[in-house]
Amino acid sequence: MGKALGKTGAFFKFKQQVMDKTIELLRNYNRWRRGAEIPQPNPTEIGIAINTLIEGYIQLSTERDAILAEIMEHEE
């Protein structure tokens, strides 16, 4: 595997780990909000997690739209 591909793979693995932790944090927050006997999550961390998911969704949507446009261009 080339250096560039290795760095790309490491980047995507890091992004996946960030998203996994973000989702876990928000799931725990939701459990706490619904009355689970767990410590209250840090509100700043919750805000950061929400922003992280929003930005991730926007990025994925933009990439999806670009891929779909390219597919449609090749089908014409």
Side-chain angles (χ1 to χ4, degrees), residues 38-63:
I38 57 176
Q40 177 182 357
N42 181 308
T44 301
E45 290 178 4
I46 297 302
I48 292 169
I50 291 168
N51 288 340
T52 299
L53 285 179
I54 291 169
E55 291 302 317
Y57 176 80
I58 291 169
Q59 182 181 2
L60 284 173
S61 295
T62 302
E63 291 172 7

Side-chain angles (χ1 to χ4, degrees), residues 17-71:
Q17 290 172 343
V18 167
M19 293 307 251
D20 289 347
K21 287 185 179 199
T22 298
I23 290 167
E24 179 183 354
L25 176 65
L26 290 174
R27 281 185 173 153
N28 284 335
Y29 168 71
N30 214 25
R31 287 180 51 233
W32 169 82
R33 191 179 62 80
R34 292 179 175 168
E37 295 293 327
I38 57 176
Q40 177 182 357
N42 181 308
T44 301
E45 290 178 4
I46 297 302
I48 292 169
I50 291 168
N51 288 340
T52 299
L53 285 179
I54 291 169
E55 291 302 317
Y57 176 80
I58 291 169
Q59 182 181 2
L60 284 173
S61 295
T62 302
E63 291 172 7
R64 179 205 61 216
D65 292 347
I67 291 168
L68 289 174
E70 187 175 331
I71 290 169

